[in-house]
Amino acid sequence: MKPYKLAIVGATGVVGRCVLHILEEKNLPNLEYVLFASHRSAGQTLSFMGKEYVVQELNENSFDEGFDFAIFSAGGDTAKKFAPIASAKGCIVVDNSSAFRMEKEVPLIVPEVNSEEIANHKGIISNPNCSTIQAVVALKPLDEKYHLKRIIYSTYQAVSGAGSKGLSDLEEGITSFVTKKEYSLQKFPYPIFNNCLPHIDVFLENGYTKEEEKMINETRKILKRPDLKITATAVRVPVFNSHSEAITVEFEKDFHLEELVEVLKHSPGIIVQDDFQHAIYPLASTSTGYDEVFCGRIRRDESVASGVNLWVVADNIRKGAASNAVQIVEKLIALDQDRTR
Ligand code: A2P
């Protein structure tokens, strides 16, 4: 069998490093890797799969050497510039940025939810926004069974989702609280330490943030429910890793709570942690390091005829980005092997 060649673009970033970690864990057979980042870290070495890899600067010629796949985790501008170059040279790009997510011909994939759409790609596949991924893993089986009518998202998002500068703002804030030394913010408009910032990504004319708009539009696209009523409030909280979400949904059909919990328990990628009498529910700290989406606090919304409240927590860097992208590459490899068998 021929080896597949995989480019990791943004290998030095928070998501890129997690991609490397997951690839080491999975140790997929027959893969060769090349690691790319910007000129800032070109020449740096990273230990990966028991070897030292020299990080290469990404440029227009990087994809000349014939790659099968690339996982991009280097932001929207880099993706817009280099993903079309890569795909024109026959490399299938799985992009973690929002650059192509809403383009009609670009599949927006969460493997547990809509892996059948991977085969429709035209060279670029988008990984959804981290907050959307964990939400749709939980909502898809409920939509199939009870038909979603309306969703209200309230997110509590970790700083790792804002990359290394976001992590640094929280670390520096904690240090400054202890040492009383001044520090400069690198990412957020206000200190994230000891604060909740209802401001993720830029503000739009209607007063929503782009993060909130992404959750709304991406959920509709992934669930193939273009008219689904959705509203969202996205909040950055002083948590290092794993996003938590309070999700309130209304259904067209009625449901029995015990049955709904069973549906979640038997759906792919979900772990139910729900025992309020013993204070068991998902936590950011205990979800970190896992690829599953954790659901708890499952209770009827008593203010509507048929609705439920959920508390949904997942590792935003793993399932929300890196492992979702690696899962897509695994599916692409399986498709290629089926085709050439
Ligand atoms: P670099 O480390 O050289 O800046 P994070 O979101 O955690 O800050 O990581 C962003 C990742 O995207 C880093 O690996 C960063 O590389 C990479 N990156 C940023 N700009 C570019 C670019 N123009 N070309 C390639 N990689 C880039």
Side-chain angles (χ1 to χ4, degrees):
M1 204 191 323
K2 64 157 189 169
Y4 293 100
K5 206 159 164 186
L6 172 62
I8 314 292
V9 177
T12 51
V14 175
V15 173
R17 283 175 191 269
C18 188
V19 168
L20 298 180
H21 184 66
I22 286 162
L23 289 168
E24 278 183 329
E25 280 177 4
K26 296 206 171 196
N27 196 13
L28 303 173
N30 275 318
L31 272 177
E32 283 175 15
Y33 306 94
V34 182
L35 277 42
F36 293 103
S38 79
H39 63 92
R40 290 178 290 277
S41 29
Q44 188 184 319
T45 54
L46 292 178
S47 297
F48 173 54
M49 308 290 281
K51 284 201 280 186
E52 293 297 309
Y53 279 73
V54 179
V55 176
Q56 303 194 14
E57 179 181 353
L58 186 70
N59 63 43
E60 281 81 356
N61 304 319
S62 296
F63 296 94
D64 289 353
E65 51 175 294
F67 284 93
D68 300 284
F69 312 111
I71 295 178
F72 274 59
S73 314
D77 292 340
T78 305
K80 276 186 196 143
K81 183 166 175 196
F82 293 101
I85 296 176
S87 84
K89 291 182 177 161
C91 169
I92 306 171
V93 173
V94 180
D95 178 37
N96 265 308
S97 82
S98 62
F100 309 104
R101 286 182 193 147
M102 294 314 295
E103 288 189 12
K104 210 159 172 259
E105 73 281 10
V106 175
L108 186 59
I109 300 294
V110 180
E112 293 84 347
V113 176
N114 61 346
S115 63
E116 72 285 353
E117 288 180 36
I118 291 177
N120 302 334
H121 75 82
K122 306 264 186 299
I124 299 177
I125 294 172
S126 279
N127 226 25
N129 171 271
C130 44
S131 312
T132 312
I133 292 178
Q134 67 188 71
V136 296
V137 168
L139 293 177
K140 168 74 173 176
L142 302 183
D143 189 35
E144 277 180 352
K145 183 92 182 159
Y146 308 113
H147 204 72
L148 295 169
K149 186 173 168 187
R150 182 175 183 227
I151 306 170
I152 304 170
Y153 287 132
S154 305
T155 72
Y156 304 74
Q157 296 182 221
V159 295
S160 57
S164 32
K165 290 181 178 164
L167 285 164
S168 162
D169 276 3
L170 179 54
E171 277 164 8
E172 297 273 317
I174 294 167
T175 307
S176 158
F177 182 73
V178 175
T179 62
K180 306 282 178 271
K181 285 198 184 122
E182 295 274 313
Y183 70 106
S184 316
L185 292 170
Q186 295 186 55
K187 183 73 188 180
F188 300 119
Y190 299 100
I192 184 63
F193 172 71
N194 204 26
N195 258 338
C196 296
L197 307 179
H199 177 180
I200 304 184
D201 210 330
V202 295
F203 279 101
L204 307 172
E205 267 184 16
N206 62 2
Y208 278 71
T209 60
K210 202 166 168 208
E211 182 81 355
E212 291 158 352
E213 185 190 66
K214 283 182 221 165
M215 286 194 80
I216 294 168
N217 292 340
E218 293 178 21
T219 300
R220 288 177 176 150
K221 178 169 174 176
I222 296 163
L223 297 181
K224 299 189 206 71
R225 297 285 312 277
D227 301 321
L228 186 57
K229 290 192 168 85
I230 312 176
T231 191
T233 302
V235 180
R236 187 77 69 190
V237 296
V239 165
F240 280 109
N241 197 56
S242 287
H243 290 350
S244 305
E245 299 178 352
I247 307 181
T248 297
V249 293
E250 223 183 314
F251 300 116
E252 299 283 355
K253 297 183 188 165
D254 202 4
F255 67 95
H256 293 288
L257 193 61
E258 300 72 25
E259 184 196 59
L260 182 147
V261 172
E262 287 304 308
V263 168
L264 289 172
K265 278 185 182 164
H266 294 99
S267 296
I270 297 176
I271 294 177
V272 171
Q273 285 181 327
D274 192 29
D275 179 3
F276 69 89
Q277 279 156 334
H278 297 96
I280 303 293
Y281 37 75
L283 293 170
S285 56
T286 51
S287 303
T288 288
Y290 292 89
D291 290 333
E292 289 84 0
V293 170
F294 294 84
C295 293
R297 299 295 324 280
I298 306 167
R299 64 212 188 276
R300 202 169 257 285
D301 174 358
E302 294 176 343
S303 69
V304 294
S306 180
V308 75
N309 291 309
L310 308 167
W311 179 247
V312 176
V313 184
D315 185 326
N316 55 301
I317 297 299
R318 285 187 70 109
K319 183 57 192 161
S323 59
N324 199 72
V326 174
Q327 275 176 285
I328 295 171
V329 169
E330 287 181 271
K331 297 266 181 196
L332 286 167
I333 291 173
L335 278 175
D336 187 64
Q337 287 178 344
D338 280 351
R339 223 174 273 136
T340 51
R341 199 163 279 150

